[in-house]
Amino acid sequence: MALLEVEDLRVAYGKIEAVKGISFTVEAGEVVTLIGTNGAGKTTTLRTLSGLLKPLAGKITFEGQPLNGVGAHKIVSMGLAHSPEGRRIFPRLSIEENLQLGAFLRKDTDGIAADIRNAYDRFPILGERRRQAAGTLSGGEQQMLAMGRALMSRPKLLMLDEPSMGLSPIMMQKIMSTISELKAAGTTILLVEQNAQAALSLADHGHVMEIGNITLSGTGEELLHDESVRKAYLGED
Ligand SMILES: Nc1ncnc2c1ncn2[C@@H]1O[C@H](COP(=O)(O)OP(=O)(O)OP(=O)(O)O)[C@@H](O)[C@H]1O
Ligand SMILES: [Mg+2]
């Protein structure tokens, strides 16, 4: 049994079907990536897994438990965390307050304090500026905060939506190496990325999404070397 199983998932906004029946799994310990052009349905998929959107049809199972009809808070408490597209940190709250919000369902004060220290070990800049408003952080630093906040729920599955969006090449590298470190530490990750090269390089499995469908699946390695992927997503002709 995979950690996450998605079967024939369909999601619509009114009459517009954004996800048209996709199936994939995420095994514990894996990094799985969804790549694809704008509007393919990647964010819609993650938002549905988080319980923020209701599927039209299909089955979502997490650790063998159905997620259909389960509320967003309960889904976090079951171990699924989401670092959303555009980061969505709270700019007026301090960095530390943002991290604490990631632990809003936990009651173990000592454990939360320890995890905040872990976040500062992983991202020293967050510790140095912990009392400052999060809105003063650069885009890349805000991404670190968004990931740190998602990790505060001690997730079994971490979903990252476009973590490298809008970042300089150096910051993108830093974020990607953080994802590699998390993977090496055993974190299971579902990664949505525009940067297909970077995402496929570190993913165990990948799926190409096009207008609501998965059109190609393989190991990260296979997709990296696939001719159609290279043409469409890696800028080769
Ligand atoms: N709130 C909404 N209401 C109506 N349509 C929406 C809404 N959100 C997304 N859509 C549409 O659903 C489709 C899938 O959007 P989605 O954001 O999931 O794509 P994506 O793969 O994440 O794209 P991107 O790479 O640009 O982030 C698009 O056609 C989009 O316009
Ligand atoms: Mg998106």
Side-chain angles (χ1 to χ4, degrees):
M1 181 185 71
L3 178 63
L4 176 74
E5 296 182 355
V6 176
E7 219 181 297
D8 255 325
L9 182 69
R10 293 170 56 204
V11 192
Y13 299 101
K15 290 202 172 109
I16 301 165
E17 205 164 318
V19 174
K20 300 176 180 170
I22 63 168
S23 301
F24 65 94
T25 60
V26 180
E27 302 280 346
E30 267 191 330
V31 174
V32 173
T33 188
L34 301 178
I35 60 170
T37 46
N38 295 119
K42 307 179 298 296
T43 296
T44 302
T45 301
L46 295 197
R47 289 178 59 82
T48 307
L49 295 175
S50 286
L52 301 170
L53 294 171
K54 235 177 95 151
L56 202 61
K59 211 166 120 196
I60 306 168
T61 330
F62 187 67
E63 289 195 303
Q65 305 284 320
L67 289 192
N68 298 65
V70 178
H73 286 188
K74 172 77 177 154
I75 288 176
V76 174
S77 71
M78 288 169 75
L80 219 156
H82 185 178
S83 173
E85 184 175 283
R87 332 207 203 285
R88 303 293 172 93
I89 54 133
F90 297 94
R92 287 163 192 271
L93 298 184
S94 72
I95 286 153
E96 188 141 314
E97 287 164 337
N98 269 273
L99 289 172
Q100 278 158 349
L101 282 174
F104 74 109
L105 291 169
R106 291 172 59 183
K107 303 268 187 289
D108 56 324
T109 319
D110 293 348
I112 293 170
D115 284 350
I116 287 180
R117 284 196 300 275
N118 291 339
Y120 295 156
D121 286 343
R122 186 177 300 287
F123 304 113
I125 187 79
L126 299 183
E128 287 161 27
R129 296 175 59 182
R130 63 183 178 276
R131 303 272 169 240
Q132 286 183 34
T136 64
L137 294 172
S138 74
E141 292 159 355
Q142 290 187 17
Q143 183 57 48
M144 294 173 187
L145 179 57
M147 288 167 69
R149 183 180 58 184
L151 288 167
M152 287 301 297
S153 63
R154 292 205 179 164
K156 293 169 186 157
L157 174 61
L158 176 64
M159 300 197 294
L160 303 172
D161 196 347
E162 310 259 10
S164 79
M165 186 165 49
L167 302 185
S168 67
I170 287 178
M171 204 35 109
M172 178 181 303
Q173 281 259 300
K174 162 81 184 148
I175 294 297
M176 286 301 163
S177 65
T178 300
I179 297 171
S180 296
E181 285 165 27
L182 290 171
K183 172 181 156 80
T187 313
T188 310
I189 298 171
L190 178 56
L191 172 65
V192 165
E193 253 300 330
Q194 292 273 341
N195 185 338
Q197 173 83 42
L200 292 174
S201 301
L202 60 82
D204 298 291
H205 289 95
H207 306 280
V208 178
M209 277 191 83
E210 284 169 10
I211 43 175
N213 293 296
I214 289 179
T215 52
L216 187 64
S217 300
T219 65
E221 187 73 16
E222 284 164 355
L223 294 182
L224 258 184
H225 294 107
D226 181 273
E227 199 172 331
S228 63
V229 171
R230 298 196 72 80
K231 275 193 182 140
Y233 302 103
L234 304 175
E236 292 189 0
D237 43 38

